[in-house]
């Protein structure tokens, strides 16, 4: 379904990044980090649609030749980004919303762990495996 997922903190520092194909990881990290400007623009309080809507799902951030990037922001300004292959036409908007909700639940479970240091990168192998299962659709 998706090929990459990232979690970025409210200070735009990367907290978690996973990719189905490790060879594309560096280029996808660049694309994800470049999408943060678009997320900030959508969250800008001068933008009337952002203040009127309390929707966490931001929709498609931008589309490239090979990829489409989608965004989601929590109430605490943690940003989730999913990268989808552009050739995947079977993936619908509601399926992407569902992926974001599942990732948000997994993230909430990890940060609720008393051994997690708030604000640090997420290094849990179980979390990585569950996020890969969510983005590949093998849940």
């Amino acid at each position: 379904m998706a090929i990459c997922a990232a979690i970025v903190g409210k200070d735009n520092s990367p907290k978690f990044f996973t990719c189905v194909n490790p060879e594309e990881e560096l280029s996808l990290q660049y694309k994800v980090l470049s999408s943060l400007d678009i997320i900030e623009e959508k969250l800008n309080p001068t933008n009337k649609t952002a203040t009127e809507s309390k929707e966490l799902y931001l929709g498609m951030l931008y589309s490239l030749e090979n990829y489409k990037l989608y965004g989601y922001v929590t109430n605490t300004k943690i940003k989730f980004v999913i990268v989808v292959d552009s050739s995947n036409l079977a993936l619908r908007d509601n399926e992407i919303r569902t992926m974001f909700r599942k990732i948000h639940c997994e993230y909430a479970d990890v940060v609720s762990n008393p051994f997690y240091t708030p604000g640090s990168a997420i290094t849990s192998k179980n979390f990585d495996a569950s996020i890969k299962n969510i983005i590949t659709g093998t849940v």
Side-chain angles (χ1 to χ4, degrees):
M1 292 180 78
I3 57 172
C4 171
I7 299 175
V8 180
K10 56 185 162 189
D11 58 348
N12 288 341
S13 62
K15 302 297 178 201
F16 176 79
F17 188 87
T18 188
C19 188
V20 175
N21 186 1
E23 296 163 358
E24 296 178 328
E25 187 170 337
L26 189 60
S27 69
L28 290 174
Q29 279 183 358
Y30 175 72
K31 288 168 182 48
V32 165
L33 292 176
S34 65
S35 72
L36 295 178
D37 291 334
I38 297 168
I39 292 173
E40 293 297 325
E41 186 177 304
K42 287 190 175 207
L43 295 177
N44 189 355
T46 59
N47 187 352
K48 292 179 182 169
T49 58
T51 57
E52 293 171 0
S53 174
K54 299 296 180 191
E55 181 70 31
L56 300 174
Y57 176 66
L58 299 175
M60 185 169 69
L61 301 174
Y62 66 92
S63 179
L64 298 168
E65 188 174 318
N66 298 327
Y67 307 111
K68 292 181 183 175
L69 283 83
Y70 293 88
Y72 180 95
V73 177
T74 67
N75 291 329
T76 57
K77 305 294 184 235
I78 303 296
K79 301 159 194 80
F80 300 145
V81 178
I82 291 178
V83 181
V84 177
D85 190 8
S86 290
S87 64
N88 188 354
L89 300 175
L91 193 61
R92 305 228 184 268
D93 205 44
N94 61 351
E95 293 169 336
I96 293 172
R97 284 178 191 259
T98 304
M99 274 195 281
F100 276 124
R101 285 189 196 112
K102 289 178 181 178
I103 291 171
H104 191 175
C105 288
E106 290 292 330
Y107 174 76
D109 287 346
V110 165
V111 297
S112 298
N113 183 342
F115 297 108
Y116 174 73
T117 306
S120 65
I122 301 170
T123 57
S124 168
K125 291 180 183 178
N126 289 337
F127 181 75
D128 185 48
S130 63
I131 297 299
K132 280 187 180 173
N133 287 339
I134 290 169
I135 65 173
T136 57
T138 57
V139 175

